[in-house]
């Protein structure tokens, strides 16, 4: 018989569904990080910013999931090898929709000179929960009163950038032009919601 994880809340047991995820800290040449504006469809007033990324598919490695999610949510196609090794790992608990999750997630760092986000690849859950995006300067992110995940994102970014202080690659293609998969416009140095 398996053991069910739970936490006592006001006399009830909340059962957390285990989940693995991979997220990408995408940083441009100006040192800004790309965050997606999101909300929980079950709690529309719970709005937040989060890094691109999402859950692993069966048999998928964290780096492969990070690359797939990055392509779906931003249009930027990197290989798992270009993402390299994760820069951070954490375990979190959160509600989303009608479920509660205990998620183990890994973060990968990727640098670009710049990128025009293309959200055409969003799936149905992402379309229902992601409402926009923004490139955030690190100091502005650290000073904002808006909610973002992970809660220690500015510190996480500072640690990741200090550990891998490589410059961004060559300039991005002009706005409106699509970079082919695996294109050389990316200089590689190597995401609470289930998206």
């Amino acid at each position: 018989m398996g053991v069910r994880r739970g936490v006592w809340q006001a006399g009830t047991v909340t059962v957390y569904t285990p989940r693995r995820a991979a997220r990408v800290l995408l940083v441009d040449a100006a040192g800004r990080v790309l965050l997606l504006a999101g909300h929980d469809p079950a709690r529309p007033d719970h709005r937040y910013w989060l890094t691109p990324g999402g859950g692993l598919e069966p048999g998928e490695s964290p780096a492969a999931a990070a690359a797939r999610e990055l392509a779906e949510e931003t249009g930027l196609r990197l290989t798992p090898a270009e993402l390299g090794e994760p820069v951070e790992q954490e375990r979190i608990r959160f509600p989303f929709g009608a479920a509660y999750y205990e998620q183990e997630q890994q973060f990968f760092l990727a640098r670009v000179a710049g990128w025009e986000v293309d959200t055409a690849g969003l799936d149905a859950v992402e379309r229902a929960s992601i409402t926009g995006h923004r490139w955030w300067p690190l100091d502005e992110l650290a000073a904002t009163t808006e909610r973002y995940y992970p809660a220690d994102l500015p510190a996480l970014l500072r640690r990741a950038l200090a550990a891998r202080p490589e410059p961004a690659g060559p300039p991005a293609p002009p706005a409106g032009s699509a970079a082919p998969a695996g294109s050389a416009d990316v200089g590689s140095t190597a995401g609470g919601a289930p998206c």
Side-chain angles (χ1 to χ4, degrees):
M1 182 165 100
V3 175
R4 297 181 81 179
R5 291 183 178 174
V7 60
W8 286 98
Q9 293 180 345
T12 64
V13 175
T14 300
V15 177
Y16 287 90
T17 300
R19 187 171 192 263
R20 294 180 62 212
R23 310 206 73 82
V24 179
L25 304 169
L26 185 62
V27 178
D28 72 4
R32 302 175 306 170
V33 62
L34 178 68
L35 297 181
L36 306 174
H39 69 278
D40 182 343
R43 300 178 298 152
D45 293 338
H46 185 79
R47 298 192 174 277
Y48 47 80
W49 295 91
L50 74 163
T51 58
L56 275 63
E57 293 179 352
E60 190 174 38
S61 73
R68 176 182 50 76
E69 289 284 342
L70 186 65
E72 290 173 6
E73 296 175 353
T74 72
L76 179 60
R77 299 187 184 285
L78 299 178
T79 66
E82 287 172 308
L83 289 172
E85 294 298 317
V87 294
E88 188 82 35
Q89 179 172 312
E90 70 175 4
R91 179 171 290 166
I92 59 171
R93 287 181 170 178
F94 61 92
F96 187 83
Y100 290 83
Y101 296 94
E102 181 173 62
Q103 179 166 288
E104 183 178 315
Q105 57 188 10
Q106 294 182 350
F107 290 86
F108 294 83
L109 175 65
R111 295 177 184 259
V112 292
W115 184 253
E116 180 141 351
V117 174
D118 176 3
T119 58
L122 294 178
D123 66 24
V125 172
E126 292 163 339
R127 283 192 302 276
S129 61
I130 294 175
T131 59
H133 63 274
R134 178 178 172 201
W135 290 93
W136 283 81
L138 186 52
D139 290 342
E140 190 174 331
L141 180 64
T144 189
T145 59
E146 294 188 50
R147 184 182 295 119
Y148 51 79
Y149 295 114
D152 68 339
L153 182 56
L156 167 58
L157 278 164
R158 285 188 181 101
R159 287 191 306 270
L161 293 170
R164 296 191 183 159
E166 297 179 24
S177 66
S183 68
D185 74 326
V186 176
S188 70
T189 58
C195 295

